[in-house]
Amino acid sequence: MSDTQKGYRSWPSNLPTYHPTSSEEVRSVTYNKNWNYSLCDCCSPGSLCLTSCCIPGLTFGKMQARLRNPTLENYSSCNGECAIFTLRTFTWTQWLLQTIQRGKLRQKYGIR
């Protein structure tokens, strides 16, 4: 590390760049500056909440497919990541996949 990087910086360097989305529904949710969620909105949409609780491998597989291709072209709900996650669930080691993926995302987007 150089001497200029060792000191305190009031503003972070190398910020990740974000690209605007074209979906109006996503934009209306993410750009809304008013607090409009209640206590139980973490369960909304209900189908995602139920799927994540009962069959987390499907949610993990879809997330991995979306990271590779955000449009989800040629997406299969039962893909390789889903199968591996589900098999590792039986041995209580699915957290390893989540930890590895979290590290990759942090590195990709420059999150510390």
Side-chain angles (χ1 to χ4, degrees), residues 1-7:
M1 252 182 155
S2 69
D3 290 333
T4 59
Q5 292 179 342
K6 290 182 182 178

Side-chain angles (χ1 to χ4, degrees), residues 47-48 50-52 54-66 75-79 81-83 85-86 89:
S47 60
L48 177 61
L50 188 62
T51 303
S52 297
C54 298
I55 316 170
L58 288 179
T59 306
F60 184 80
K62 188 170 186 177
M63 181 187 69
Q64 296 305 306
R66 184 170 283 134
Y75 167 70
S76 171
S77 60
C78 195
N79 53 27
E81 287 89 359
C82 171
F85 187 90
T86 303
T89 301

Side-chain angles (χ1 to χ4, degrees), residues 16-90:
T17 57
Y18 299 99
H19 303 288
T21 183
S22 60
S23 170
E24 288 300 320
E25 181 182 1
V26 171
R27 188 174 295 135
S28 70
V29 171
T30 57
Y31 289 12
N32 187 357
K33 295 185 182 197
N34 297 325
W35 181 262
N36 59 355
Y37 300 104
S38 68
L39 180 62
C40 295
D41 276 348
C42 61
C43 297
S44 178
S47 60
L48 177 61
C49 181
L50 188 62
T51 303
S52 297
C53 288
C54 298
I55 316 170
L58 288 179
T59 306
F60 184 80
K62 188 170 186 177
M63 181 187 69
Q64 296 305 306
R66 184 170 283 134
L67 288 172
R68 281 193 308 277
N69 184 358
T71 61
L72 291 177
E73 292 176 14
N74 303 323
Y75 167 70
S76 171
S77 60
C78 195
N79 53 27
E81 287 89 359
C82 171
I84 292 170
F85 187 90
T86 303
L87 290 174
R88 297 207 71 157
T89 301
F90 294 118

Side-chain angles (χ1 to χ4, degrees), residues 88-106:
R88 297 207 71 157
T89 301
F90 294 118
T91 61
W92 299 95
T93 57
Q94 76 277 11
W95 59 270
L96 289 170
L97 294 174
Q98 294 168 323
T99 304
I100 291 167
Q101 185 58 36
R102 183 181 301 134
K104 288 179 183 178
L105 287 173
R106 290 176 69 153

